Amino acid sequence: MLNKEESVVSKVDKHHHISKEQLSTHPPFPKSLKIEISARCNFKCSFCATKSSKRPLGDIDRDFLYRILKESKEAGVEEVGMFLLGESFLVKELAEYIKYAKEEVGFEYVFITTNGSMCTPDRMIPIIDAGLDSLKFSINAGTREKYKEIHGVDCFDRVIEHVKWLHQYQKEHGTKMKTSISSIWIEEDKEELEAFRKEMLQYVGEFYYLPLYNQGGHCGGGDKKLIGNPGRLDHLVPIIPCWVLFTGLKITWDGKLTACCFDHESKFEVADLNEVSLEEAWNCEKYVELRRNHLENDFSNSLCSKCLGR
């Protein structure tokens, strides 16, 4: 059963954990869905392969989104994240989409991850009013100076200003939307990262670190031991089998079910949801084969070999 009061960190860890029931080539239909409102992003983060993405970039079609939201709710999905690899605040209809998911379809829990650069009061108030349950700011670079080098001199201060404004607004209006921050852990910047975490916990409910993923083999930086997708830094999970294949649905802006969080080349698209139902796609032949690779620890012909360093 969905627990709306559960902490964000607890939800993240639970999503990364594969239960015995899910550990199958044909796992039960998941309770969680991430759907990409936009593949576009206004940032070019050094640790992210979006800047060199080879897949088509665009925004989701409203009719397709509304159909999938209804279809997934009828199939048993309980919570929806309206993001994947892009920045959802680039879509002007975002508040409208959240309201539809909450009021028309009946989802109890809708969440978003954002880089925070566009979270101005005129954008945030409609989103809060629409009923968004959780907003996570992804604030990364290690140090303020690195952040400014990558995103511009004023960008860091603008993002922090948005976080602080949201904290004050919620305090004054008594809103219950959960807020959190995640940052990529960079060992050489640990002192400044920890100082930043302690500072920002004044303004958000939770703060957690993520490893410097290789993003499906597209990024070469970071600790080479952290291959695959091991989840949250303080609660790492085994990379084989990869939890992504078993615990949640991930849909691209153009209607494809993808088997990977970091599908920057459209190689992991397992089904076209413009042609088949979500339930059919969940256990389609291509998805089943990828799960079998992981369960049998056989990556000789698997798309996952690059990510896993095989």
Side-chain angles (χ1 to χ4, degrees):
M1 290 292 291
L2 177 67
N3 179 4
K4 288 186 67 176
E5 303 307 315
E6 189 174 13
S7 72
V8 172
V9 165
S10 178
K11 280 183 173 292
V12 169
D13 289 347
K14 186 179 291 185
H15 192 54
H16 294 163
H17 174 74
I18 309 172
S19 69
K20 288 183 179 180
E21 184 185 22
Q22 292 169 317
L23 204 60
S24 164
T25 56
H26 295 73
F29 197 77
K31 302 294 184 183
S32 182
L33 162 71
K34 283 185 181 178
I35 188 161
E36 188 173 54
I37 305 305
S38 177
R40 298 179 294 130
C41 188
N42 59 331
F43 273 19
K44 296 185 183 298
C45 298
S46 59
F47 60 86
C48 179
T50 295
K51 61 183 178 297
S52 56
S53 180
K54 296 179 181 179
R55 69 191 183 111
L57 301 181
D59 298 343
I60 201 164
D61 174 76
R62 178 191 278 103
D63 292 339
F64 172 78
L65 171 64
Y66 287 0
R67 176 178 73 80
I68 287 296
L69 289 174
K70 289 179 180 178
E71 189 176 323
S72 60
K73 184 70 166 61
E74 291 169 359
V77 171
E78 296 179 346
E79 58 182 40
V80 175
M82 290 196 175
F83 67 98
L84 192 58
L85 289 173
E87 173 53 56
S88 297
F89 274 80
L90 288 169
V91 178
K92 66 180 187 304
E93 298 91 353
L94 182 57
E96 173 193 332
Y97 292 165
I98 295 167
K99 186 174 182 179
Y100 184 86
K102 296 287 294 183
E103 296 184 6
E104 297 297 326
V105 185
F107 281 107
E108 293 184 50
Y109 196 82
V110 179
F111 59 104
I112 287 177
T113 289
T114 175
N115 61 39
S117 64
M118 301 176 69
C119 294
T120 55
D122 64 313
R123 293 299 306 279
M124 281 306 309
I125 291 173
I127 282 169
I128 293 169
D129 291 345
L132 186 67
D133 296 284
S134 175
L135 180 72
K136 186 189 81 171
F137 294 94
S138 178
I139 305 177
N140 308 289
T143 69
R144 283 170 167 81
E145 291 309 311
K146 287 181 181 178
Y147 192 102
K148 291 175 181 178
E149 286 175 13
I150 296 169
H151 304 303
V153 174
D154 299 326
C155 191
F156 183 86
D157 294 336
R158 187 166 67 250
V159 170
I160 302 308
E161 180 183 316
H162 294 163
V163 175
K164 291 179 178 180
W165 173 87
L166 178 58
H167 170 73
Q168 187 61 32
Y169 182 88
Q170 290 195 273
K171 188 176 178 180
E172 292 174 358
H173 293 81
T175 61
K176 296 181 179 180
M177 182 180 72
K178 291 181 173 66
T179 58
S180 60
I181 292 174
S182 72
S183 284
I184 299 295
W185 178 258
I186 301 174
E187 184 66 25
E188 66 188 51
D189 298 325
K190 62 183 179 181
E191 291 184 8
E192 185 162 343
L193 275 169
E194 273 295 276
F196 179 61
R197 182 183 68 83
K198 291 175 182 177
E199 175 191 351
M200 298 312 295
L201 277 173
Q202 301 175 71
Y203 308 109
V204 295
E206 296 175 272
F207 189 116
Y208 62 93
Y209 296 114
L210 295 170
L212 190 54
Y213 302 129
N214 69 20
Q215 296 238 335
H218 294 286
C219 295
D223 186 342
K224 299 302 182 183
K225 294 178 182 178
L226 291 176
I227 55 177
N229 190 335
R232 188 170 64 88
L233 188 69
D234 290 338
H235 193 270
L236 297 178
V237 298
I239 60 170
I240 301 172
C242 180
W243 57 270
V244 178
L245 301 172
F246 302 86
T247 67
L249 298 154
K250 291 170 178 59
I251 301 174
T252 63
W253 70 274
D254 52 351
K256 309 301 195 306
L257 181 64
T258 179
C260 182
C261 293
F262 305 118
D263 192 5
H264 293 288
E265 294 182 329
S266 303
K267 289 184 177 179
F268 287 87
E269 293 173 354
V270 295
D272 187 343
L273 297 174
N274 296 291
E275 298 178 357
V276 300
S277 73
L278 200 48
E279 289 187 277
E280 287 178 292
W282 175 244
N283 283 318
C284 68
E285 183 178 349
K286 192 172 181 180
Y287 220 163
V288 168
E289 182 60 26
L290 280 170
R291 295 187 190 116
R292 182 175 291 111
N293 293 157
H294 281 248
L295 293 171
E296 296 179 356
N297 199 17
D298 179 7
F299 301 98
S300 54
N301 295 303
S302 175
L303 290 170
C304 300
S305 59
K306 187 177 179 181
C307 176
L308 299 172
R310 297 301 183 96

